[in-house]
Amino acid sequence: MARVRFIGNEPVTVPELGGREIQPDQLVEVPDERFDGYVCQTTTWEPVEEPGAAKKTSTKKEA
């Protein structure tokens, strides 16, 4: 799943995401195949993690 940030000024309901209410500055996971449909709306969404990007994980080594 890709991730985008909602950069609108007011909460919105997104039917494609199960009717969830999305708050300003909220990060949202979207299906990889729909990523472009969100980020093309440059005044509403911004990319955070593109489709297929490896998830960042902590790799602490214990002493």
Side-chain angles (χ1 to χ4, degrees):
M1 297 278 266
R3 294 193 314 160
V4 295
R5 179 185 317 275
F6 176 61
I7 56 174
N9 295 324
E10 297 181 13
V12 295
T13 300
V14 181
E16 183 175 70
L17 300 176
R20 288 176 47 198
E21 182 175 81
I22 307 301
Q23 300 296 320
D25 202 39
Q26 183 175 344
L27 294 178
V28 180
E29 285 191 343
V30 298
D32 288 352
E33 61 274 4
R34 294 292 300 132
F35 178 78
D36 290 336
Y38 285 87
V39 299
C40 74
Q41 301 173 59
T42 58
T43 60
T44 308
W45 302 95
E46 68 179 9
V48 174
E49 187 174 295
E50 295 193 12
K55 299 275 186 211
K56 293 181 181 179
T57 58
S58 176
T59 56
K60 284 185 178 179
K61 291 186 178 181
E62 294 186 27

